[in-house]
Amino acid sequence: MKVLLVEDDPFHMGYLEEQVASALPEADEILLAHDGAEGEDLARRASVGAIVMDLQMKSRNGIEAARTIWSERPQTRILFWSNYADEAYLRGITRIVPEDCAYGYVLKTVSNERLHLALRSVLVQGQITIDREMHRIQKRKTEAGSALTDSEYAVLIDLALGLPDKEIARRHSMSLRTVQNRLLSLYDKLEVDGEEEPGLDGGVNKRVRALTRALLTRTLNVEALESAERARLEEIAASRGTV
């Protein structure tokens, strides 16, 4: 069994290599990649079917690397591990994971025992495993009625890209009224205060405030915005026939 580790921090890479060797005695070859691009290349050349992937890397993040790997080998099992319990990361993963593919999300702060369980569950047994802290976050938001639907999240991403309502409607085959309703729901769930404040000529700019709240609550993160920006630029280039 080949296992590929993709991690750009030497300390975390050393720790992870030790834990994989301990948890997966069937792993007769452990390959190391130090950024997402190298991970894509190694996964392709070595035909690796089991990967542990860091999410936040300076050169090509884990979600982008996973998207490429899954597009080429959709049955690849990937366990993502991260320092952050970000809703944006989990949404990014669930948007790209192939149907019936095993994957997992675990925090780097978990105990060795829980990491071993996640490694075996995803990479050997082919199960879907999500860290408990992520479940707690999702449960709290659902119970509070503040969890964004996929449609609302898509509108939030386009809002962050600076797109006007008409363009958002076009991209998602929505009516203008539907987009405006999604925005109102976003403002409510993100607790955007639209009242006038002392010293302001008008009310708060709700679009900007919604983006700020989304970043502060980790509903969005920098990696999600970078991926969305690249996808948007690719879309523009394709429409102009330059790719």
Side-chain angles (χ1 to χ4, degrees), residues 56-114:
Q56 190 175 41
M57 293 180 283
K58 294 179 181 178
S59 176
R60 195 157 178 80
N61 67 56
I63 290 179
E64 299 242 320
R67 180 189 288 113
T68 298
I69 291 168
W70 273 332
S71 70
E72 298 173 359
R73 300 175 61 83
Q75 295 308 309
T76 303
R77 298 173 178 179
I78 302 180
L79 174 63
F80 298 92
W81 80 323
S82 173
N83 283 314
Y84 306 102
D86 282 18
E87 177 186 355
Y89 279 137
L90 189 57
R91 281 186 180 271
I93 293 167
T94 56
R95 286 162 70 93
I96 64 172
V97 62
E99 187 175 356
D100 300 325
C101 181
Y103 71 96
Y105 189 122
V106 66
L107 295 179
K108 292 183 179 180
T109 53
V110 299
S111 65
N112 291 351
E113 180 182 4
R114 286 175 61 186

Side-chain angles (χ1 to χ4, degrees), residues 94 97-98 100-105 118 121-122 125-130 135:
T94 56
V97 62
D100 300 325
C101 181
Y103 71 96
Y105 189 122
S121 176
V122 176
Q125 299 167 7
Q127 298 177 4
I128 295 175
T129 301
I130 306 299
H135 280 302

Side-chain angles (χ1 to χ4, degrees), residues 6-236:
V6 188
E7 168 62 66
D8 64 351
D9 181 89
F11 174 79
H12 285 148
M13 177 67 92
Y15 166 77
L16 184 57
E17 188 175 8
E18 289 179 3
Q19 298 307 313
V20 168
S22 174
L24 305 177
E26 51 270 87
D28 52 16
E29 187 174 2
I30 300 177
L31 306 173
L32 309 181
H34 300 91
D35 60 48
E38 186 181 359
E40 292 173 18
D41 183 57
L42 265 176
R44 183 183 300 115
R45 290 191 290 109
S47 298
V48 179
I51 299 174
V52 183
M53 179 85 72
D54 186 19
L55 277 168
Q56 190 175 41
M57 293 180 283
K58 294 179 181 178
S59 176
R60 195 157 178 80
N61 67 56
I63 290 179
E64 299 242 320
R67 180 189 288 113
T68 298
I69 291 168
W70 273 332
S71 70
E72 298 173 359
R73 300 175 61 83
Q75 295 308 309
T76 303
R77 298 173 178 179
I78 302 180
L79 174 63
F80 298 92
W81 80 323
S82 173
N83 283 314
Y84 306 102
D86 282 18
E87 177 186 355
Y89 279 137
L90 189 57
R91 281 186 180 271
I93 293 167
T94 56
R95 286 162 70 93
I96 64 172
V97 62
E99 187 175 356
D100 300 325
C101 181
Y103 71 96
Y105 189 122
V106 66
L107 295 179
K108 292 183 179 180
T109 53
V110 299
S111 65
N112 291 351
E113 180 182 4
R114 286 175 61 186
L115 177 57
H116 287 198
L117 287 172
L119 286 165
R120 295 204 62 81
S121 176
V122 176
L123 304 184
V124 177
Q125 299 167 7
Q127 298 177 4
I128 295 175
T129 301
I130 306 299
D131 191 271
R132 293 175 187 174
E133 182 60 26
M134 294 303 302
H135 280 302
R136 292 191 189 102
I137 291 172
Q138 291 176 311
K139 184 177 181 182
R140 283 199 301 268
K141 289 200 171 189
T142 299
E143 290 176 346
S146 60
L148 301 187
T149 66
D150 289 343
S151 180
E152 290 165 352
Y153 188 77
V155 170
L156 176 63
I157 288 288
D158 282 0
L159 181 152
L161 293 175
L163 302 182
D165 292 359
K166 287 184 178 179
E167 177 62 9
I168 296 174
R170 183 197 67 78
R171 293 190 80 200
H172 302 289
S173 300
M174 298 178 181
S175 68
L176 191 58
R177 175 66 63 86
T178 298
V179 171
Q180 292 166 347
N181 286 339
R182 297 290 185 276
L183 286 171
L184 290 175
S185 182
L186 278 173
Y187 299 153
D188 180 56
K189 291 181 177 180
L190 293 172
E191 300 179 353
V192 172
D193 185 359
E195 297 180 357
E196 293 187 4
E197 295 183 6
L200 294 180
D201 293 333
V204 170
N205 185 317
K206 290 187 176 183
R207 298 174 84 95
V208 174
R209 184 62 183 156
L211 177 56
T212 300
R213 288 287 302 158
L215 290 169
L216 289 174
T217 59
R218 294 191 181 278
T219 303
L220 284 180
N221 60 20
V222 173
E223 286 76 15
L225 296 180
E226 288 175 343
S227 294
E229 177 70 8
R230 277 190 282 269
R232 176 63 176 160
L233 293 175
E234 289 171 2
E235 179 184 316
I236 292 172

